Amino acid sequence: MFGYRVPAPDQAMLISGGRRGLSGAPFRVVTGHGKFVLPVFRKTRFLTLAMCESEVAETCVTRQGISLTVRAVIAFKVGNDRESIVNAGQRFLSDQDQMSVLTGRIFAGHLRSIIGSMTVEEIVTERQKLATEVLETSKTEMAKIGLIVDSLQIQSIDDGETGYIDAMSAPHKAAIQRQAQIAQAKATQAATEAEQEAARNQAEYARQTAVVQAEYSAEVDRAQAQSAQAGPLARAHAEQEVLAARTELAERAAKLRQQELVAEVVKPAEAEAERIRLLALADAERMKIQAEAAASYDRVALDRMLIDQLPQIVKEAASGLSGANVNVLNGADGLGDLAAGLVGQGLTILDSVKRNLGPNNGDKSDAPAPRPTGATPIGLD
């Protein structure tokens, strides 16, 4: 609209002409809203309230007499209050770039003053303390020209070719390098130990794997060997059992055959031998009886008769033995005992007959008995 002016949010509108501003200011200050300005009768200017910066590169001498080049950056602006706007407008409205130049000069002076009271070690190690002192000392002076400082940053401190800062930092550099080397050595050692441990673990794993594989292969080989031997072993066991059964059967057959041979051959032979022995004994006994009969004439007839009958008795007994299946428990001794029993029985019978027919049974005469008619005397050789 014609004659109506509005300042930007980061600007202060200064209206001159007509009524004066507050506190006798030569202009009125308008911020944050518009104002109707009469043309021709009023003049309007705008003062920036935005943030500005100024760079400082100043050579300063420390308390030790060492020259240092200090570089710093100052962030500042016009204050928001009317007093600061009036003060800044009266000084910088026609040339607002002078605010940065003047601010740099002001801070350069304060830097020289404060650095001159400090040592290089303090300046290097306590930069924030340096910046704070510079801000505190410049605050009043900056307020007079309507400016406020938001921050001051010390960018660099250089001693040129003197090498004082490098010499000062050499022990720290050496310590840092030593610590770095120690840390690197420890890291290298740790890495080496880790690699060795990993190698040992891999070797142990490989060894265990090889052992397990070897055990598995051995077990497989044993199983295969057992499987391969199972058939022949089973056949061998079966053949061995068959052979044992055949051997046992053959032994039983041999024993049975032996018993059959004993019953068929040995026993009859032994019985025949016993029969022959009994006949021989009978003949001997007969000859003995004949001898006794020849010595005793009164018993000749009786003895003759008995002698004639005795071989027949013995023969009958022997013939009975020849056809009999005699079981002898004690071998030849048993057969001898049997034959001796039969002979003994024959002799017992013979003695009994003699006693019953002898002279003690009624014939008291000592004369010999008459011989039977037709009897032939028996001669003894």
Side-chain angles (χ1 to χ4, degrees):
M1 183 181 291
F2 181 76
Y4 191 81
R5 307 295 298 273
V6 179
D10 59 346
Q11 288 180 339
M13 185 172 63
L14 307 181
I15 303 173
S16 61
R19 190 176 58 182
R20 291 179 174 269
L22 297 177
S23 302
F27 48 80
R28 287 180 294 171
V29 178
V30 178
T31 59
H33 60 85
K35 187 78 173 176
F36 184 79
V37 180
L38 292 175
V40 180
F41 299 100
R42 304 284 189 270
K43 189 174 183 179
T44 304
R45 300 286 185 88
F46 294 93
L47 179 66
T48 180
L49 301 179
M51 180 67 66
C52 301
E53 70 173 28
S54 176
E55 294 184 358
V56 177
E58 190 69 18
T59 300
C60 308
V61 179
T62 66
R63 190 175 63 188
Q64 300 160 310
I66 299 173
S67 297
L68 298 178
T69 300
V70 180
R71 297 181 181 276
V73 176
I74 304 100
F76 67 94
K77 66 182 291 296
V78 177
N80 293 327
D81 58 290
R82 291 183 179 273
E83 183 179 359
S84 296
I85 294 173
V86 170
N87 291 334
Q90 288 179 337
R91 291 170 176 80
F92 306 110
L93 185 60
S94 60
D95 188 2
Q96 299 186 29
D97 292 336
Q98 288 296 319
M99 287 190 295
S100 297
V101 176
L102 182 60
T103 300
R105 292 175 179 175
I106 292 173
F107 273 87
H110 288 291
L111 277 173
R112 286 193 301 270
S113 175
I114 294 173
I115 287 176
S117 64
M118 299 176 65
T119 64
V120 178
E121 288 80 5
E122 291 175 346
I123 295 171
V124 172
T125 59
E126 298 179 4
R127 290 190 180 187
Q128 187 60 39
K129 178 181 177 181
L130 173 62
T132 301
E133 289 185 1
V134 172
L135 286 175
E136 290 295 329
T137 56
S138 62
K139 182 181 297 183
T140 303
E141 189 173 357
M142 294 290 289
K144 289 180 181 181
I145 59 176
L147 302 177
I148 58 175
V149 179
D150 287 340
S151 67
L152 170 63
Q153 297 294 329
I154 305 297
Q155 288 184 324
S156 65
I157 300 174
D158 186 11
D159 61 352
E161 297 180 357
T162 60
Y164 186 91
I165 296 177
D166 291 338
M168 181 182 66
S169 62
H172 300 286
K173 288 181 179 179
I176 292 174
Q177 290 176 355
R178 183 170 59 253
Q179 292 177 357
Q181 291 174 356
I182 293 173
Q184 182 64 35
K186 289 182 178 179
T188 303
Q189 181 179 1
T192 303
E193 291 177 354
E195 291 177 358
Q196 293 176 353
E197 182 66 21
R200 285 194 295 269
N201 292 335
Q202 291 178 356
E204 180 64 20
Y205 178 76
R207 186 188 67 81
Q208 293 179 356
T209 302
V211 170
V212 171
Q213 290 178 349
E215 292 178 352
Y216 178 76
S217 298
E219 186 175 356
V220 171
D221 293 340
R222 285 195 299 270
Q224 291 178 350
Q226 292 176 357
S227 176
Q229 294 175 357
L233 286 176
R235 290 193 295 271
H237 285 305
E239 292 175 358
Q240 185 177 2
E241 292 178 356
V242 171
L243 182 60
R246 291 179 178 177
T247 302
E248 183 179 359
L249 182 61
E251 290 178 354
R252 291 182 180 178
K255 289 181 180 179
L256 180 60
R257 183 56 183 165
Q258 184 179 5
Q259 293 175 358
E260 291 177 352
L261 290 174
V262 170
E264 294 175 357
V265 178
V266 177
K267 297 302 181 181
E270 290 179 351
E272 180 64 21
E274 187 63 24
R275 186 181 67 80
I276 295 172
R277 192 176 68 85
L278 290 176
L279 290 176
L281 290 175
D283 288 338
E285 186 65 23
R286 181 175 62 81
M287 293 179 67
K288 180 180 178 181
I289 293 172
Q290 287 177 354
E292 291 177 354
S296 177
Y297 292 101
D298 56 351
R299 301 287 296 176
V300 172
L302 180 59
D303 289 342
R304 180 183 179 87
M305 181 183 63
L306 293 174
I307 289 171
D308 290 336
Q309 296 297 325
L310 182 59
Q312 185 65 30
I313 294 171
V314 175
K315 183 177 181 182
E316 291 297 330
S319 65
L321 287 174
S322 65
N325 188 9
V326 181
N327 292 325
V328 181
L329 300 177
N330 54 352
D333 294 337
L335 291 174
D337 293 340
L338 178 60
L342 292 175
V343 173
Q345 290 178 4
L347 295 177
T348 302
I349 296 171
L350 182 59
D351 290 339
S352 176
V353 173
K354 286 181 178 181
R355 284 194 300 271
N356 291 329
L357 298 179
N360 294 332
N361 291 330
D363 190 1
K364 304 296 184 179
S365 179
D366 294 333
R371 295 178 181 178
T373 306
T376 303
I378 299 173
L380 297 175
D381 295 333

